[in-house]
Amino acid sequence: MTIPTPALHAAAERFGTPLYVYDAAELDAALARVRAAFGPARVYYAMKANPNLTLLRRLQAAGVGFECVSPGELARAEAVGASGGQILVNGPAKSGAEYVSGARLGATFIVDREEEVGLLPPHSRALVRVNPALEVSTHDHLATGAAGSKFGVTLVQAPRVLEALRGAGHTALGLHVHIGSAIRDAQDFTAAFGRLAELRAETGPLAVLDAGGGWGLDADLHGIAREAWAAARAFDADLWVEPGRYLVARAGTLLTRVVGHKRTGRNFCLVDAGMTELLRPMLYGAEHPVTALWEGTDCGVWDIAGPACESGDLLARDVSLPTPRRGDLLAIGEAGAYGAAMASTYLSRSRPAEALYEPGAADGTDWTVIRRRETPQDIWAMELGRNR
Ligand SMILES: Cc1ncc(COP(=O)(O)O)c(C=O)c1O
């Protein structure tokens, strides 16, 4: 994140907090790093990480397609003008709606179980998601390629499902694997791609290998790309990838103001954002870098606590900070992925505004609001009893 501190203060002042800010330069840089590592692989952004239309448009303009897992995500892809080969429809329990919109948009389907072969719209293009049955280096809830997880077909079933697709008149493009998110150890990818490549003897050549996403932010992308391409070449296939977090996490920062502090058994820095704005620490024990945007020499160790009446509503623990005062500003980093996307209206809290930082953009200002703050009226607008 390269947004200068005075610009962060200015945005918090102008748009209020809690506030998500995104650095356009870092978004572009992340995509450039992916392209440098993966070369001609086709990139599908897993929009679950952050579905903001402005970000989608920016990625689409750079030639990126979209991986979608719900009717709403497909509607977003359509809203930014994506169609055909630019859209993948994924998910372990697709409803009828995903098949209908996916077919209308000419998308490619990722088949997650054999039964889906009979549910696909006629003459679909499809990949088969394989579960390589591996334990991987991430939080249990983020691991999707373990033997006990609900995703994909087994290595034994995969060739049969490809055959079934062909038999039903679909185009069986190839195989798909995604072993989880925020994976720390690159060896996990090596193992997963290796297990898929062993299927070559049974499947014969394929048009596509989709190597999924899941790369940790500090991952050796070139190493992962080397292994993914080796597996793709084993099938004489093109390589597709589906990064979510890697493309948007570092670009995003959650700005939150200190509302006060207290010292009990622990030191609590109380802020105006919490689990409703950034769920990852509570959901996955995720650790986000925290930066104090105020000066002070009296450093202590603080837990950053949100306003929800939930003991787990902590954004970070044991953070070294100068003593916080009411009104001070904190920056929670690496929050561009699964941050705003997972924000909720629990406690009737309005989801935060989002602003993009792009110095000298079209209108000459550095900031563009790309989502306004929700109001209480937005939240209850769908409730039918309010006028009775
Ligand atoms: C099938 C699939 N592809 C790609 C992704 C993106 O993962 P990440 O954001 O960790 O790159 C996910 C995330 O859950 C996924 O389920």
Side-chain angles (χ1 to χ4, degrees):
M1 212 266 300
T2 54
I3 305 176
T5 302
L8 294 176
H9 280 289
E13 198 60 42
R14 207 166 135 201
F15 310 124
T17 58
L19 175 71
Y20 273 101
V21 293
Y22 305 106
D23 180 5
E26 171 51 30
L27 277 174
D28 297 347
L31 179 59
R33 291 195 295 271
V34 170
R35 292 225 198 274
F38 285 87
R42 209 186 270 189
V43 180
Y44 290 92
Y45 169 55
M47 73 162 78
K48 56 178 80 71
N50 190 323
N52 187 287
L53 294 174
T54 301
L55 306 187
L56 299 187
R57 281 202 187 91
R58 192 174 188 96
L59 288 166
Q60 203 206 10
V64 171
F66 302 115
E67 188 251 8
C68 304
V69 296
S70 72
E73 288 194 350
L74 281 160
R76 284 180 183 268
E78 185 173 13
V80 300
S83 65
Q86 298 168 320
I87 304 177
L88 301 180
V89 185
N90 208 342
K94 302 174 193 74
S95 68
E98 284 97 319
Y99 297 121
V100 171
S101 350
R104 188 169 48 75
L105 294 168
T108 299
F109 292 91
I110 295 169
V111 168
D112 204 82
R113 65 190 190 284
E114 188 161 2
E115 182 195 17
E116 266 200 280
V117 173
L119 300 173
L120 291 178
H123 311 297
S124 290
R125 275 174 303 139
L127 298 163
V128 176
R129 179 166 181 170
V130 183
N131 182 332
L134 285 168
E135 294 302 319
V136 297
S137 55
T138 189
H139 189 281
D140 275 357
H141 295 174
L142 292 170
T144 57
S149 92
K150 67 179 176 183
F151 299 96
V153 304
T154 66
L155 289 155
V156 172
Q157 292 166 338
R160 192 171 77 225
V161 182
L162 284 172
E163 235 359 89
L165 280 169
R166 293 186 193 107
H170 302 299
T171 304
L173 285 179
L175 298 175
H176 171 285
V177 64
H178 173 77
I179 53 176
S181 196
I183 291 175
R184 293 184 293 273
D185 186 349
Q187 290 304 315
D188 296 342
F189 294 101
T190 309
F193 302 153
R195 287 203 178 172
L196 254 70
E198 285 170 17
L199 292 174
R200 167 65 162 85
E202 283 179 78
T203 64
L206 296 170
V208 174
L209 176 75
D210 182 333
W215 319 323
L217 297 184
D218 294 321
D220 166 19
L221 285 199
H222 287 268
I224 297 171
R226 205 169 39 245
E227 300 294 334
W229 272 111
R233 271 193 295 272
F235 291 102
D236 303 312
D238 287 336
L239 179 65
W240 295 1
V241 289
E242 296 173 359
R245 179 172 151 74
Y246 191 89
L247 284 177
V248 292
R250 284 218 168 107
T253 300
L254 175 61
L255 295 178
T256 178
R257 281 212 194 271
V258 174
V259 298
H261 71 255
K262 72 172 164 191
R263 300 175 195 271
T264 53
R266 299 184 66 87
N267 295 334
F268 290 103
C269 169
L270 306 165
V271 295
D272 66 2
M275 58 177 280
T276 44
E277 288 71 32
L278 182 63
L279 185 60
R280 298 186 75 251
M282 190 175 182
L283 194 60
Y284 307 130
E287 292 179 9
H288 288 260
V290 177
T291 310
L293 301 183
W294 68 90
E295 303 288 327
T297 48
D298 49 341
C299 270
V301 174
W302 298 84
D303 292 346
I304 314 297
C309 305
E310 302 270 350
S311 297
D313 183 30
L314 297 172
L315 290 177
R317 277 183 168 272
D318 297 326
V319 183
S320 179
L321 297 175
T323 302
R325 290 150 310 178
R326 190 171 167 80
D328 283 339
L329 198 58
L330 268 183
I332 317 282
E334 296 176 3
Y338 308 105
M342 285 188 174
S344 79
T345 58
Y346 176 47
L347 304 171
S348 288
R349 285 176 58 80
S350 299
R351 283 176 293 181
E354 297 172 56
L356 182 70
Y357 179 74
E358 195 176 14
D363 62 357
T365 62
D366 295 347
W367 289 103
T368 312
V369 175
I370 60 172
R371 181 183 160 101
R372 70 163 169 81
R373 188 176 307 285
E374 216 165 25
T375 64
Q377 291 74 16
D378 290 332
I379 297 174
W380 71 57
M382 281 78 73
E383 295 173 29
L384 302 177
R386 66 187 188 281
N387 295 325
R388 274 187 222 133

